[in-house]
Amino acid sequence: MFLSHLLRPRTVASAHCDLPCGVYDPAQARIEAESIKAVSEKYQASNDPEFRTRALLIKEQRAELVKHHLWVLWTDYFKAPHFEKYPQLHGLFNEATKLAGAGGAKGAADPAVAEQLLGKIEEISKIFWETKQS
């Protein structure tokens, strides 16, 4: 009992991640989504099978990065008060990550899907910047 008392922390701190840098920005997801759209357009315009294969690989990598950047915002930046004030936020993140995933931009080379993804990221970005102002 005495040892547990000595080892108990005197000050308890909490952070949103293991190393709280505080640097968050939806622009990271947007840039990758813009890359998906551009690569999809180039894929559609090409008949070269090797180029198209490389384009698909790059597009899929970028889609994973979009999901990663969105998940970091969703799970690390946004907190309960944000979700209370913006009840649509969970839905936006769900829709955006699905648009980046296998059923969306990762699984298709359709610039229109990438444009939809960019639209969802823009909606998230507007909310993000509103929360940064307060």
Side-chain angles (χ1 to χ4, degrees):
M1 175 128 172
F2 179 71
L3 183 60
S4 65
H5 177 71
L6 288 175
L7 296 177
R8 188 174 348 150
R10 294 174 194 243
T11 304
V12 177
S14 62
H16 64 269
C17 64
D18 294 336
L19 182 62
C21 64
V23 178
Y24 298 100
D25 196 327
Q28 294 171 305
R30 182 187 46 77
I31 290 167
E32 299 301 346
E34 287 176 356
S35 178
I36 291 168
K37 183 179 176 190
V39 169
S40 295
E41 290 168 345
K42 290 181 179 193
Y43 173 89
Q44 296 297 336
S46 177
N47 291 322
D48 179 350
E50 291 159 3
F51 177 86
R52 288 171 64 103
T53 298
R54 284 190 356 251
L56 289 176
L57 290 171
I58 291 167
K59 178 189 60 66
E60 290 179 10
Q61 291 169 344
R62 297 301 180 254
E64 281 300 314
L65 288 170
V66 169
K67 290 189 325 185
H68 168 76
H69 292 305
L70 289 174
W71 285 333
V72 168
L73 286 171
W74 194 2
T75 60
D76 293 351
Y77 173 76
F78 287 105
K79 302 292 181 216
H82 299 132
F83 293 110
E84 290 169 13
K85 184 173 181 180
Y86 303 95
Q88 74 276 29
L89 203 49
H90 280 302
L92 284 172
F93 274 107
N94 185 50
E95 292 165 13
T97 55
K98 289 194 179 303
L99 279 168
K106 186 175 181 184
D110 185 352
V113 173
E115 190 63 42
Q116 291 173 359
L117 174 59
L118 283 163
K120 293 296 178 189
I121 293 170
E122 180 58 28
E123 289 181 60
I124 292 167
S125 182
K126 286 178 183 175
I127 293 171
F128 171 82
W129 289 108
E130 285 178 17
T131 65
K132 292 291 276 188
Q133 301 301 321
S134 54

